[in-house]
Amino acid sequence: MIKLKKYTALTLCALTLTATPISVLADEYDQKIADQDKKISDLQQTEQSAENQKAALEQQVAAVEQEVQAVLKEKTNEEKKLSDLTAKIAILQEKIQKRDEQIRSQARDVQTKQDSASLVDAVINSKSVGEAVKKTMAVSTILTASKNIMEQQTKDKTELEKLEKEAEQRLQSINKKTAELKAKQEQLVQTKLDQQVKINEIQASIATEKGEKEKYEKQKEEAEKKRQAALKALEEQRKKEEEARAKAQVEAEKQAKIAAEEAQKAAEEAEKQAAAAETAKQKQEAEIAQLEAEKQEQQAKQQEQQAQTVTDAGASQVTTNPTVPTTNEAKPATNSSGWASPLSIGLVVTSPFGPRQDPTGASGTQHDGIDFAGAAGTPIMASKGGKVVEAGFHWSAGNHVVIQHPDGYYSYYMHMVSAPSVSTGSEVSAGQVLGGMGTTGNSTGVHLHFGVSTALWSGFVNPAPLLGV
């Protein structure tokens, strides 16, 4: 039983805990695990997309590398051709240079030796017409050869210039294309590296989220173990209470039978005394004794009927509301400590004072009193005389009574079947009936929770030594 506090905030908190069973905690972990799965799935999809982008980039890089290699090969071929062409150009230049010298030499000879006067003299001085013709043809042949050399020289120079220009242009184009491809290649490689960094970051995030999921799975497993342990403890508690109630039932029936027999004997004795009375006074006394005996017999029968009505252990509330006797039952004997039994039947403990497995998940693991078994409606009596400081209903204690005793102790009587038969501020004596046994409030079956403390709702002590149980 938890320590009750008269604060609204704590009451609301306890109500919330009562409404939230242990199984709800496992459901919360399931939701957290599902959320982690979604996060991991989203990250894995992002990772796959990044991997696809990386693969596409790698294909582009490979294509550009092949293109670069092709251009470099082409550049090499062109450079080889240019080298061969350069060698030919060198040879052609040498030929042109020699032609230039030959042309200049022939031009000087023509100007100095083969002018028109010399040609006329050669013809005039010829000994015959044939010789004149030969000399004329020789000069003409020299001039024609010089002209052909000049034309070939001009043609070779033009071709040389054209080849040099074309080779230079092709080489520049290849160098430019190679530079562009290398720049593109470097850019793609950098992009691929950036993509790999992004993939590594995503993979790190996935690892983190998976670790978080494993943490929730472990927490869920621990919560499930605690829930199973609580259910097992609750089942064991119910079995124990059921056995105790059965035993208390037998004891109550036995006590009721004895009380009925004694009441019957008292009634018979009262009838005999009434019949034997000789005076009106004696007769009146006998009648009074007979009425008292009948009253005791009626109370014994009522107790016997109440003992046969046992509330189901799994019920959260007693469905019947038997009338609680308002008169005092026979007071149980007080032990050396000054505390009397709070029940008219034998005390059967179903849950002792101290640490225990919480049966409902709302009361904590410290039991601040002793639970006694009994039938619904079994009279609950003040264990000691004192002043009633609380008498009413509480969500946890149910219908209950708290008595302050002259020695400074407080006694607690909880889970009564109906409203207490005493009120706050009233004085009660030991053995006075406070109400009937029930299962109201935070209870799993019919029982009396009896507690003793040194201050109101705090400083609880073990009642067992005081009651001698």
Side-chain angles (χ1 to χ4, degrees):
M1 176 62 59
I2 61 171
K3 299 179 180 180
L4 303 178
K5 302 293 182 180
K6 295 187 287 183
Y7 299 103
T8 304
L10 183 56
T11 302
L12 290 175
C13 179
L15 283 171
T16 303
L17 289 173
T18 304
T20 307
I22 299 174
S23 60
V24 174
L25 191 59
D27 293 338
E28 290 179 356
Y29 286 129
D30 284 336
Q31 183 60 48
K32 289 181 178 179
I33 292 170
D35 292 342
Q36 289 304 117
D37 284 335
K38 186 176 184 306
K39 288 181 182 179
I40 293 170
S41 177
D42 292 343
L43 285 171
Q44 286 175 339
Q45 290 179 1
T46 304
E47 180 188 20
Q48 185 59 48
S49 176
E51 289 285 1
N52 293 339
Q53 292 180 15
K54 179 186 173 185
L57 285 170
E58 288 176 346
Q59 291 179 355
Q60 293 180 30
V61 170
V64 171
E65 287 175 349
Q66 291 180 358
E67 192 173 352
V68 168
Q69 292 301 322
V71 172
L72 289 175
K73 185 176 181 181
E74 182 181 355
K75 178 174 178 286
T76 301
N77 292 334
E78 290 297 329
E79 287 174 344
K80 186 175 183 301
K81 290 179 182 180
L82 182 60
S83 178
D84 295 340
L85 185 58
T86 302
K88 291 179 181 180
I89 289 172
I91 294 172
L92 190 58
Q93 286 175 341
E94 184 178 355
K95 288 181 179 180
I96 290 172
Q97 183 178 0
K98 289 179 178 180
R99 283 198 193 107
D100 284 341
E101 292 176 357
Q102 184 180 357
I103 290 170
R104 285 194 293 271
S105 176
Q106 288 177 352
R108 283 195 299 271
D109 289 340
V110 171
Q111 289 176 358
T112 57
K113 299 178 181 180
Q114 302 297 333
D115 54 13
S116 56
S118 297
L119 182 58
V120 173
D121 290 340
V123 173
I124 293 173
N125 294 328
S126 296
K127 295 179 179 181
S128 63
V129 175
E131 184 180 357
V133 171
K134 288 181 180 178
K135 289 183 178 180
T136 303
M137 289 180 65
V139 173
S140 177
T141 300
I142 293 172
L143 292 174
T144 301
S146 297
K147 180 180 180 181
N148 291 338
I149 291 172
M150 288 296 294
E151 290 176 353
Q152 184 63 41
Q153 184 77 343
T154 302
K155 183 178 179 181
D156 287 346
K157 285 185 177 181
T158 302
E159 181 66 19
L160 177 62
E161 184 179 351
K162 178 181 177 182
L163 290 175
E164 288 178 341
K165 186 175 182 180
E166 178 183 356
E168 183 65 24
Q169 288 177 347
R170 293 191 61 167
L171 185 59
Q172 288 179 358
S173 177
I174 291 172
N175 287 334
K176 181 179 180 182
K177 187 173 182 180
T178 302
E180 291 175 352
L181 287 173
K182 283 194 171 294
K184 184 177 180 181
Q185 183 185 32
E186 291 175 358
Q187 182 181 2
L188 286 172
V189 169
Q190 183 61 43
T191 304
K192 187 175 73 171
L193 293 175
D194 293 341
Q195 192 70 10
Q196 184 61 50
V197 171
K198 182 178 179 181
I199 291 172
N200 291 341
E201 291 175 351
I202 294 172
Q203 290 173 342
S205 298
I206 291 175
T208 300
E209 297 301 337
K210 284 183 177 178
E212 194 72 7
K213 176 185 175 182
E214 290 176 359
K215 182 186 75 174
Y216 289 138
E217 288 176 339
K218 290 180 181 178
Q219 290 177 350
K220 177 189 174 183
E221 184 179 351
E222 290 299 322
E224 181 63 22
K225 288 181 181 178
K226 291 180 181 179
R227 187 179 76 88
Q228 293 298 332
L231 291 175
K232 182 179 179 181
L234 180 59
E235 183 63 24
E236 291 176 353
Q237 180 71 13
R238 286 177 177 173
K239 288 181 179 179
K240 188 175 181 181
E241 290 179 356
E242 185 64 28
E243 293 173 356
R245 273 192 292 273
K247 184 177 179 181
Q249 175 76 15
V250 174
E251 180 67 20
E253 291 175 354
K254 181 180 177 181
Q255 294 289 339
K257 185 177 180 180
I258 293 173
E261 290 175 354
E262 291 178 351
Q264 182 65 29
K265 289 179 181 179
E268 292 175 356
E269 183 66 26
E271 288 178 357
K272 290 180 180 180
Q273 290 178 1
E278 296 179 355
T279 63
K281 183 177 179 180
Q282 289 176 337
K283 185 177 181 180
Q284 184 179 12
E285 290 176 353
E287 289 176 352
I288 292 172
Q290 183 179 2
L291 290 173
E292 182 65 25
E294 291 175 353
K295 183 176 179 181
Q296 291 180 2
E297 181 180 8
Q298 182 180 2
Q299 291 177 351
K301 288 180 179 180
Q302 184 183 42
Q303 181 176 348
E304 184 177 6
Q305 291 174 355
Q306 293 171 346
Q308 295 177 358
T309 305
V310 181
T311 303
D312 181 73
S316 62
Q317 183 174 336
V318 177
T319 56
T320 58
N321 188 15
T323 303
V324 179
T326 57
T327 58
N328 294 347
E329 298 293 335
K331 297 181 180 180
T334 303
N335 57 30
S336 59
S337 66
W339 293 82
S341 172
L343 298 174
S344 60
I345 60 176
L347 297 180
V348 178
V349 178
T350 59
S351 183
F353 178 88
R356 68 169 182 179
Q357 182 69 43
D358 181 11
T360 65
S363 301
T365 57
Q366 175 63 27
H367 192 216
D368 292 333
I370 299 179
D371 290 346
F372 295 117
T378 300
I380 298 173
M381 298 174 292
S383 182
K384 214 174 184 184
K387 181 180 180 180
V388 178
V389 293
E390 280 191 26
F393 181 83
H394 186 275
W395 69 269
S396 181
N399 294 310
H400 69 288
V401 172
V402 182
I403 301 174
Q404 183 180 14
H405 304 290
D407 57 3
Y409 281 100
Y410 292 81
S411 59
Y412 302 77
Y413 311 80
M414 302 182 186
H415 310 305
M416 294 181 181
V417 68
S418 57
S421 60
V422 295
S423 57
T424 302
S426 61
E427 296 286 340
V428 296
S429 57
Q432 183 174 338
V433 175
L434 307 176
M437 190 181 293
T439 182
T440 57
N442 184 22
S443 169
T444 59
V446 176
H447 71 285
L448 165 65
H449 174 96
F450 178 75
V452 176
S453 70
T454 56
L456 186 60
W457 295 113
S458 64
F460 287 93
V461 297
N462 188 1
L466 302 178
L467 298 178
V469 296

